[in-house]
């Protein structure tokens, strides 16, 4: 099965089932919780942004996992709800004192997952080149989420 919005051509269907394409987006998706929380310019980081992105991905057939840096809990607009989501395992925090970008990229690589973030991860471009090809950019406007759909690789 293909996630919503993607389909293979009939001529390639046999090859796709025999050998998955290296460019096919995985169904598991990590959400860069800190990046997404800060997506609304001029406001405190919003928990609602994270939940909007999670829900939209789930609607499209993806399996979203939220990962945030440990410092987000001190800046988020709704700290009580945020802490409940951490406690129940909905939001996973990168260990305190770690480089959150490295943690996110390593986790995405290990899981073979895409990553929703507007971060460019330029300082990690060589080490995580394969993960960077599966970064999904997004935009949040009026509580609506739009994901970038690439048709070819950027250089």
């Amino acid at each position: 099965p293909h996630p919503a919005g993607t389909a293979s051509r009939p001529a390639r269907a046999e090859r796709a089932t025999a050998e998955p394409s290296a460019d096919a987006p995985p169904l598991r998706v990590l959400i860069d919780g800190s990046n997404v929380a800060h997506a609304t310019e001029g406001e405190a980081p919003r928990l609602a942004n994270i939940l909007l992105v999670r829900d939209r991905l789930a609607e499209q057939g993806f399996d979203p996992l939220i990962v945030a840096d440990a410092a987000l809990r001190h800046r988020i607009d709704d700290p009580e709800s945020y802490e409940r989501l951490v406690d129940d395992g909905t939001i996973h925090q990168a260990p305190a004192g770690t480089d959150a970008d490295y943690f996110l990229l390593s986790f995405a690589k290990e899981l073979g997952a895409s990553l929703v973030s507007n971060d460019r991860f330029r300082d990690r471009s060589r080490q995580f080149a394969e993960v960077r090809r599966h970064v999904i950019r997004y935009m949040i406007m009026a509580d609506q989420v739009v994901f970038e759909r690439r048709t070819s690789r950027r250089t």
Side-chain angles (χ1 to χ4, degrees):
H2 296 280
T6 65
S8 62
R9 294 181 184 152
R12 294 185 187 189
E14 287 180 42
R15 196 170 2 139
T17 55
E19 185 176 313
S21 168
D23 292 330
L27 291 177
R28 171 76 40 101
V29 178
L30 267 64
I31 298 170
D32 182 346
S34 301
N35 182 272
V36 170
H38 285 90
T40 312
E41 292 184 33
E43 294 184 28
R46 295 181 62 215
L47 179 58
N49 288 351
I50 297 171
L51 300 177
L52 282 168
V53 168
R54 179 203 59 188
D55 293 348
R56 183 75 174 129
L57 287 166
E59 287 170 9
Q60 294 183 1
F62 291 94
D63 178 17
L65 294 173
I66 304 163
V67 179
D69 70 49
L72 184 60
R73 70 177 353 139
H74 303 293
R75 299 185 306 260
I76 198 82
D77 66 338
D78 186 353
E80 287 135 15
S81 295
Y82 181 84
E83 290 300 331
R84 278 195 299 276
L85 293 171
V86 170
D87 290 344
D88 75 12
T90 300
I91 296 177
H92 305 276
Q93 289 188 135
T98 62
D99 176 345
D101 287 352
Y102 179 82
F103 186 81
L104 265 169
L105 292 164
S106 295
F107 198 28
K109 181 178 180 178
E110 184 176 321
L111 294 175
S114 290
L115 176 60
V116 174
S117 181
N118 285 334
D119 192 329
R120 298 290 179 190
F121 304 108
R122 286 190 177 107
D123 56 331
R124 305 275 184 207
S125 62
R126 288 190 179 161
Q127 186 177 11
F128 293 101
E130 67 282 357
V131 175
R132 290 182 70 227
R133 283 194 295 271
H134 294 287
V135 171
I136 301 168
R137 308 277 176 225
Y138 67 93
M139 200 167 149
I140 300 173
M141 292 183 353
D143 290 333
Q144 296 296 313
V145 180
V146 178
F147 297 111
E148 175 185 52
R149 297 286 183 227
R150 292 188 198 167
T151 54
S152 63
R153 288 188 199 164
R154 292 184 187 150
T155 55

